[in-house]
Amino acid sequence: MKIMVAVKRVVDYAVKIRSGVETSNVKMSMNPFCEIALEEALRIKESGRASEVVSVGPAQCADTLRTGLAKGADRAIHVEFPGTLYPLSVAKIFKALVDAEKPGLLLLGKQAIDDDCNRTGQMIAGLLKWPQGTFASKISVVLDEGNKVATVDREVDGGLETLSLDLPVITTDLRLNQPRYATLPNIMKAKSKVIKKLTLQDLNVEIRSDLEVVQVIEPPKRQAGVVLSSV
Amino acid sequence: MQKLFALTSSLSRRTRSSAAFSTSLLFDDTQKQFKESVAQFAEENIAPHAAEIDRSNYLPKDVNLWKLMGDFNLHGITAPAFKFFFVEMFFCICTSKLVMYAVKLYLTSLSATEEYGGLGLGYIYHCIAMEEISRASGSVGLSYGAHSNLCINQLVRNGTPAQKQKYLPKLISGEHVGALAMSEPNAGSDVVSMKCKADRAKGGYILNGNKMWCTNGPVAETLVVYAKTDMAAHSKGITAFIIEKDMPGFSTAQKLDKLGMRGSDTCELVFENCFVPDENVLGLEGKGVYVMMSGLDLERLVLAGGPLGIMQACLDVVLPYVKQREQFGRPIGEFQFIQGKVADMYTSLQSSRSYVYSVARDCDSGIVNPKDCAGVILCAAERATQVALQAIQCLGGNGYVNEYPTGRFLRDAKLYEIGAGTSEIRRMIIGRELFKEQ
């Protein structure tokens, strides 16, 4: 069974950004939730079948994909698009990719740390009409002949909800696993792994931007308190 | 609890790498990936223990750092494959087809060394690993360097296939620790005047004598030791031996209490009629000085990564501090004197780094120049001591307090001006070579 993992290249979480979000010289890396999704895919693979890493974005995403390959993914697909993409567009692209690659399981991070949308996974599930298990903190997959089922523990406001789903779209939460390091032998092996490049025309996807960013401002600085003489 | 662990480890990950400076000319993409990977590994697994290692003068008992580094494939970086030199030739005359072929050779050469567990890569990678580990903890870096370069690399370069098969797998996996001993209580810089004797006996040699300042001595299972098989022949009478910890007649004396590099166990070795069989001679009898001197060049190169890591660690501490510490209503980093110090620290680090990695690149191509190997560690070590002194100064009173790591950086950095040939010896080597070349 093929597992497809979506990864997003975002500003590294340890970097302090000033307002206006300059992304030119800033350290970029794989979204932490996507790392967790990739780790889960690799663990399932180590007791199952292939896993592939897909990312959507401009040319620089290649290093994020290389990191994914260095951690153990078999193949990478890079869909090139130079602008900013919002979740619905990304979801449409992934629908086209899933139709082409036919994976049995799709794993994503629950949200990206730059826009915190928390929408892409759910939208993909909607477009594909696949079941979804979001905010997963535990996943176990059964792959017998007549019985392909994923049991997902979800972290919800009321506690933990356990769902049993026919192979679905899963978005991963923080406590699912601890991502592995890319060790040097795997980094060397990744050099010869393939990154397939695709454009939106190849996938027959047309996207239009329904959202426009009007303004980005910092929250107002915290005012000093007022000392009262009595209450 | 799993929750806290996941949160705290993802928070502590790479909080310091934002201070790592871009060195785009020095490394290619793979090397950068490796550097980041080792930095993350060292930050998460070694750095948390660094202060306690220094305080207690012991490596942590609850975590086996040797095994961890072995699992991360850090020990056998330079264990080469017979195809390695072909690959280097192909890289030199690159076309895209040849590069693909070379990459395939490279990958198969990786598997050729997997019988020992090594990686078949070169000194650039080894220096990168040394730098990042030393950045997390100078002591662990020094012990790592002694194990992976002084011991493992010497076995790789001079050992017979049987010796390599016997000793390398456990050394590379981290199950066994390696060490090397050449200096004696009365033979430091004048190491060729060593008095440790190896008398010929039936089936081997009997060793008698002492060795001093042996890093990893107390814990090593496998040691490379130099002794004189022919006292009268001076330098031509030295032979290298592979010693095992359990050999009768071999023992270690008490651990040394050092100024810095505490936790990197160092001790005196004692040989009292220690029998070493013939098959444990490393290289040829009487040719030990060649093993020693050529090994010293590469040792100096790889150990030069240590002071680089310490300088980087100093900047990692100083830069956030001068931003956050305010005096006279402003962060002290806005004052020119502090900016001057920080600039000097930065340029010392970057220039030493360029020198070290350029020479590492040459050594990977087979060009080993003793002048430059001595030069890189001379340069990096002396700069590191100065950078550490400035780091303490930037932190002011806090720099003088042991709660901050700057004192440890200074004490650790100082070692590199002494070990692997003192700065004076290094100067002598370089000056003498330059004179000869005239």
Side-chain angles (χ1 to χ4, degrees):
Chain A
M1 176 190 67
K2 251 193 260 187
I3 307 177
M4 193 184 270
V5 179
V7 300
K8 186 174 181 187
R9 178 173 180 266
V10 298
V11 176
D12 187 275
Y13 79 90
V15 171
K16 291 192 171 60
I17 289 282
R18 276 192 266 269
S19 70
V21 192
E22 352 121 356
T23 51
S24 45
N25 253 327
V26 165
K27 184 171 196 294
M28 308 287 272
S29 47
M30 197 190 287
N31 183 32
F33 293 107
C34 299
E35 282 182 354
I36 296 177
L38 177 59
E39 173 64 23
E40 194 59 27
L42 292 172
R43 288 189 192 184
I44 299 178
K45 170 188 165 182
E46 276 153 11
S47 55
R49 258 123 303 168
S51 86
E52 291 164 15
V53 186
V54 186
S55 182
V56 186
Q60 298 91 304
C61 286
D63 14 302
T64 314
L65 291 172
R66 282 258 165 256
T67 312
L69 290 172
K71 292 196 180 194
D74 298 296
R75 289 203 291 138
I77 305 176
H78 181 187
V79 180
E80 282 187 314
F81 181 77
T84 329
L85 285 172
Y86 292 105
L88 185 54
S89 317
V90 176
K92 288 183 186 168
I93 295 173
F94 270 97
K95 173 172 188 311
L97 282 169
V98 166
D99 289 337
E101 296 280 340
K102 301 194 192 355
L105 182 60
L106 184 59
L107 282 165
L108 303 98
K110 70 172 178 181
Q111 64 199 58
I113 59 174
D114 52 6
D115 54 22
D116 282 326
C117 284
N118 189 356
R119 279 184 252 152
T120 311
Q122 291 88 329
M123 285 180 172
I124 300 178
L127 288 173
L128 288 172
K129 301 212 188 337
W130 278 19
Q132 52 176 290
T134 52
F135 313 110
S137 67
K138 198 159 94 146
I139 305 177
S140 57
V141 176
V142 166
L143 291 171
D144 301 330
E145 254 326 296
N147 182 22
K148 290 188 166 55
V149 154
T151 312
V152 177
D153 278 2
R154 304 177 56 222
E155 293 195 358
V156 295
D157 290 338
L160 284 179
E161 181 190 46
T162 308
L163 293 179
S164 175
L165 307 161
D166 296 331
L167 294 187
V169 172
I170 300 180
T171 70
T172 58
D173 207 335
L174 190 58
R175 282 160 273 280
L176 179 58
N177 58 44
Q178 178 73 348
R180 65 188 60 183
Y181 301 109
T183 59
L184 186 52
N186 288 331
I187 295 176
M188 304 306 298
K189 281 186 209 157
K191 289 208 295 197
S192 69
K193 288 187 190 167
V194 171
I195 298 185
K196 192 159 105 179
K197 284 208 197 302
L198 292 174
T199 60
L200 293 181
Q201 288 93 304
D202 296 335
L203 293 170
N204 281 325
V205 173
E206 261 186 50
I207 56 172
R208 52 166 213 270
S209 189
D210 289 329
L211 298 172
E212 182 195 320
V213 174
V214 174
Q215 197 190 21
V216 175
I217 50 173
E218 266 183 27
K221 273 205 151 32
R222 219 182 125 177
Q223 299 289 340
V226 174
V227 177
L228 301 171
S229 56
S230 79
V231 275
Chain B
M1 267 209 60
Q2 197 207 3
K3 282 190 218 176
L4 278 173
F5 171 72
L7 264 172
T8 50
S9 67
S10 63
L11 282 172
S12 69
R13 253 205 295 154
R14 293 176 283 158
T15 42
R16 292 192 300 177
S17 68
S18 47
F21 305 112
S22 78
T23 38
S24 50
L25 292 176
L26 290 179
F27 304 125
D28 65 29
D29 279 327
T30 320
Q31 287 154 355
K32 271 192 242 174
Q33 247 188 325
F34 177 58
K35 190 173 203 289
E36 278 174 21
S37 201
V38 182
Q40 189 190 337
F41 168 82
E43 168 81 32
E44 291 181 22
N45 294 290
I46 302 178
H49 301 283
E52 182 57 24
I53 292 176
D54 181 65
R55 205 196 53 78
S56 66
N57 200 11
Y58 277 103
L59 288 181
K61 305 239 184 322
D62 50 346
V63 152
N64 186 342
L65 287 177
W66 292 111
K67 199 84 194 17
L68 267 180
M69 290 193 279
D71 291 338
F72 208 69
N73 304 98
L74 289 174
H75 295 310
I77 294 184
T78 49
F82 69 95
K83 288 175 183 166
F84 181 68
F85 295 109
F86 281 124
V87 174
E88 281 311 304
M89 254 165 52
F90 279 122
F91 271 126
C92 292
I93 38 169
C94 244
T95 63
S96 60
K97 281 210 185 107
L98 276 174
V99 167
M100 272 321 294
Y101 180 38
V103 168
K104 282 198 198 126
L105 263 187
Y106 220 57
L107 293 174
T108 50
S109 78
L110 282 178
S111 58
T113 57
E114 261 148 41
E115 47 186 307
Y116 304 136
L119 283 181
L121 294 172
Y123 293 105
I124 294 190
Y125 286 96
H126 206 169
C127 288
I128 291 176
M130 183 72 189
E131 181 184 337
E132 291 300 333
I133 296 177
S134 297
R135 180 185 180 187
S137 163
S139 315
V140 176
L142 183 65
S143 278
Y144 163 76
H147 167 83
S148 60
N149 177 268
L150 273 64
C151 183
I152 292 181
N153 203 32
Q154 284 295 62
L155 285 172
V156 156
R157 292 175 67 243
N158 301 293
T160 62
Q163 288 168 338
K164 289 194 240 199
Q165 189 55 44
K166 183 170 180 194
Y167 296 109
L168 282 182
K170 291 219 169 112
L171 285 170
I172 292 180
S173 74
E175 219 177 302
H176 278 185
V177 178
L180 178 142
M182 56 171 81
S183 307
E184 297 183 0
N186 288 322
S189 291
D190 188 9
V191 71
V192 162
S193 73
M194 62 175 76
K195 295 275 182 293
C196 185
K197 268 194 316 164
D199 296 314
R200 250 231 155 274
K202 187 148 177 270
Y205 299 82
I206 306 261
L207 260 63
N208 273 296
N210 293 38
K211 292 292 181 187
M212 189 59 156
W213 304 298
C214 177
T215 305
N216 296 341
V219 296
E221 278 87 2
T222 308
L223 303 95
V224 174
V225 172
Y226 296 91
K228 280 228 174 106
T229 35
D230 186 350
M231 282 296 188
H234 299 297
S235 64
K236 305 244 188 323
I238 298 178
T239 308
F241 296 95
I242 306 175
I243 305 290
E244 290 172 39
K245 187 179 182 166
D246 299 326
M247 281 176 174
F250 167 64
S251 60
T252 61
Q254 76 296 345
K255 194 162 90 159
L256 298 176
D257 178 19
K258 307 193 299 292
L259 168 68
M261 296 300 188
R262 294 173 65 75
S264 168
D265 294 339
T266 317
C267 71
E268 190 175 336
L269 306 181
V270 181
F271 294 93
E272 284 168 323
N273 294 324
C274 174
F275 175 71
V276 180
D278 273 326
E279 62 257 21
N280 277 36
V281 172
L282 186 63
L284 296 171
E285 181 179 329
K287 300 280 189 253
V289 76
Y290 167 73
V291 171
M292 183 160 74
M293 292 307 179
S294 61
L296 270 173
D297 290 332
L298 297 165
E299 170 189 338
R300 287 174 185 140
L301 170 66
V302 172
L303 287 185
L308 293 182
I310 296 180
M311 286 193 266
Q312 180 68 60
C314 288
L315 280 161
D316 288 342
V317 168
V318 165
L319 290 174
Y321 184 88
V322 302
K323 181 125 194 201
Q324 158 237 355
R325 169 84 177 169
E326 289 192 6
Q327 289 287 271
F328 308 108
R330 292 149 71 188
I332 60 175
E334 288 185 21
F335 299 128
Q336 280 187 329
F337 277 134
I338 296 287
Q339 287 174 344
K341 286 188 208 302
V342 165
D344 287 338
M345 289 164 77
Y346 178 74
T347 46
S348 296
L349 169 57
Q350 292 290 69
S351 55
S352 311
R353 209 179 238 159
S354 297
Y355 193 14
V356 170
Y357 288 108
S358 314
V359 175
R361 185 160 287 123
D362 276 348
C363 289
D364 281 341
S365 315
I367 309 169
V368 179
N369 190 332
K371 285 204 309 294
D372 285 313
C373 293
V376 293
I377 192 169
L378 172 64
C379 174
E382 294 197 335
R383 303 271 165 81
T385 310
Q386 294 306 314
V387 166
L389 281 169
Q390 292 289 44
I392 295 179
Q393 194 67 15
C394 287
L395 265 62
N398 282 331
Y400 209 62
V401 167
N402 283 332
E403 245 178 71
Y404 286 81
T406 38
R408 163 166 58 96
F409 295 155
L410 174 64
R411 288 183 286 110
D412 287 348
K414 187 63 183 158
L415 177 285
Y416 284 112
E417 292 188 52
I418 301 170
T422 57
S423 293
E424 290 71 34
I425 290 292
R426 296 166 196 166
R427 290 196 157 85
M428 192 195 77
I429 290 175
I430 299 170
R432 187 177 60 184
E433 280 298 307
L434 286 168
F435 179 74
K436 269 200 265 176
E437 285 167 15
Q438 275 305 307

